[in-house]
Amino acid sequence: MKRLILTGSGIRLARSGLAEAVIEFRFRFVGGPLPPVEEFEDYFGARSGQGPGRHWSDWCSWRLFSDEVRARRHLSLVEYCEPYDVIELWFEQYPNDQLQLVFLLAFFRCHPETAARLKLRLVDFDLTMPAEQMPEPEDVLTVDVGPVELNTGSAIWSAYRAATPMPFLDCLQSDLSSLPFLRSAQLALVAELPSRATGLGATEMRLLELIARYDGFSALGLLHRFWRPGNVFGELELFSLLDGLTDGPSPAVTDLERPQSKRSWHARYAASYPRLTEFGEAIIAHQEDFSSHNPIDRWWGGTHLTNDNLWRIAPTLTKP
């Protein structure tokens, strides 16, 4: 039986010998605007002059696979999948990984012959952990992907792409049991919408609380303490959020080197020792609203969050 693995964290799976080929996807669907549809069409299509990183084959560890496997990487993804009897989806339970999963389910829903060979692995562990700590493949539960899984994934992806968060919030009332890790990922994403009390998302508030708790730490040390695989945002996205808290007429954070510095990201943050301003302390105490004093300009899925389009949420919406 010929097996292909699609995943968001591919290097250990590529070395595992579990499949003839492992294709890794590195889309980031958080922290910025979503790519346009045309970019996805180029990404999944046949190789025809796409720039570096803009074709599905660009992120795969091809040196680990046979010449026959490598020779077909110019094809579209659907064409590449044709010889395989089983196509397994290995995506972790974390928010961006679950967004990658629903995105691929929406994609394959339009290709029924390929979708009929999909299997979902319920990965409730970190795929980047040391090999000796990972469970045996036979201990990772496998689920058939059928119409329910495809329709659920497609609905969630469509809702996340919408120009407002309302369709995504409505999906929280749906039966999501066919994709067991999806609901917790959804709740984590919803928590990043601006709160009614402070105008900031959950991660921004945790950054302020971390600075208050670890006064005197470098910004890089703070972020290394904060970042975990299950966080909504990656390292560079956290840098951007922290920069945003220092901007505007009423910054919540001070003593952070400005982005215009010629230093690298890491060097700039290693040399910065951020502190809360009085305004930042008032935000933590829920006595001030960041968005009432500063411009907001960021993305949440397909929603462009601005001061006039803030889509504040109530705390109850982020609870299971």
Side-chain angles (χ1 to χ4, degrees):
M1 179 180 292
K2 296 183 69 173
R3 178 180 284 107
L4 173 68
I5 290 177
L6 310 183
T7 182
S9 301
I11 189 63
R12 295 201 182 279
L13 288 174
R15 291 170 175 164
S16 69
L18 291 174
E20 186 177 84
V22 175
I23 297 173
E24 183 174 358
F25 297 95
R26 295 192 183 180
F27 289 122
R28 296 293 301 173
F29 292 135
V30 296
L34 296 176
V37 172
E38 296 77 17
E39 187 172 322
F40 289 135
E41 290 174 350
D42 284 345
Y43 188 90
F44 288 117
R47 172 70 78 182
S48 59
Q50 295 93 329
R54 295 185 174 275
H55 189 250
W56 65 267
S57 65
D58 288 340
W59 302 105
C60 304
S61 301
W62 294 109
R63 59 185 175 77
L64 299 176
F65 308 121
S66 69
D67 291 343
E68 180 184 355
V69 167
R70 290 197 298 270
R72 302 176 57 253
R73 59 185 177 180
H74 64 283
L75 298 173
S76 71
L77 180 63
V78 170
E79 291 173 316
Y80 192 87
C81 290
E82 285 179 0
Y84 294 98
D85 304 299
V86 175
I87 304 162
E88 293 188 351
L89 305 171
W90 288 66
F91 287 89
E92 293 159 285
Q93 71 270 37
Y94 311 131
N96 192 69
D97 300 84
Q98 289 296 295
L99 287 174
Q100 290 187 20
L101 172 61
V102 297
F103 168 71
L104 285 177
L105 289 172
F107 172 78
F108 284 117
R109 184 170 176 260
C110 300
H111 302 278
E113 291 186 7
T114 307
R117 287 173 279 140
L118 294 177
K119 302 281 186 182
L120 175 63
R121 291 279 194 154
L122 300 185
V123 181
D124 58 354
F125 54 92
D126 183 357
L127 282 170
T128 63
M129 70 170 57
E132 61 272 13
Q133 298 178 16
M134 292 181 66
E136 294 298 323
E138 57 268 23
D139 295 329
V140 182
L141 188 63
T142 305
V143 176
D144 290 335
V145 174
V148 172
E149 289 77 14
L150 293 169
N151 291 338
T152 298
S154 184
I156 297 297
W157 177 247
S158 178
Y160 188 65
R161 290 179 60 239
T164 79
M166 288 309 300
F168 196 81
L169 295 173
D170 290 341
C171 287
L172 288 172
Q173 311 305 318
S174 305
D175 180 5
L176 305 176
S177 58
S178 60
L179 300 174
F181 304 135
L182 184 55
R183 182 174 175 79
S184 61
Q186 273 191 283
L187 290 171
L189 290 164
V190 169
E192 297 303 334
L193 287 166
S195 112
R196 288 183 179 175
T198 65
L200 296 176
T203 296
E204 291 166 308
M205 287 299 294
R206 287 199 292 270
L207 286 172
L208 293 182
E209 292 162 359
L210 196 68
I211 291 170
R213 180 179 179 185
Y214 293 103
D215 185 41
F217 271 57
S218 74
L220 189 62
L222 287 169
L223 293 184
H224 282 171
R225 278 179 172 267
F226 178 80
W227 189 83
R228 298 289 184 276
N231 288 2
V232 171
F233 298 106
E235 187 177 51
L236 292 181
E237 294 150 358
L238 289 175
F239 289 162
S240 181
L241 288 177
L242 186 51
D243 279 341
L245 293 171
T246 71
D247 289 340
S250 299
V253 176
T254 188
D255 293 347
L256 190 70
E257 281 198 27
R258 308 303 298 164
Q260 292 79 8
S261 167
K262 294 182 180 180
R263 295 173 184 262
S264 68
W265 281 99
H266 280 76
R268 181 164 69 85
Y269 274 73
S272 297
Y273 294 84
R275 294 180 297 108
L276 293 188
T277 62
E278 288 186 10
F279 180 61
E281 292 172 352
I283 292 173
I284 288 182
H286 287 201
Q287 296 171 351
E288 283 285 3
D289 183 331
F290 186 85
S291 64
S292 295
H293 300 267
N294 298 288
I296 302 296
D297 183 7
R298 64 182 180 90
W299 287 85
W300 184 93
T303 304
H304 189 190
L305 297 173
T306 65
N307 298 77
D308 296 328
N309 190 49
L310 210 51
W311 289 100
R312 296 174 183 271
I313 59 161
T316 53
L317 286 176
T318 64
K319 296 179 180 178

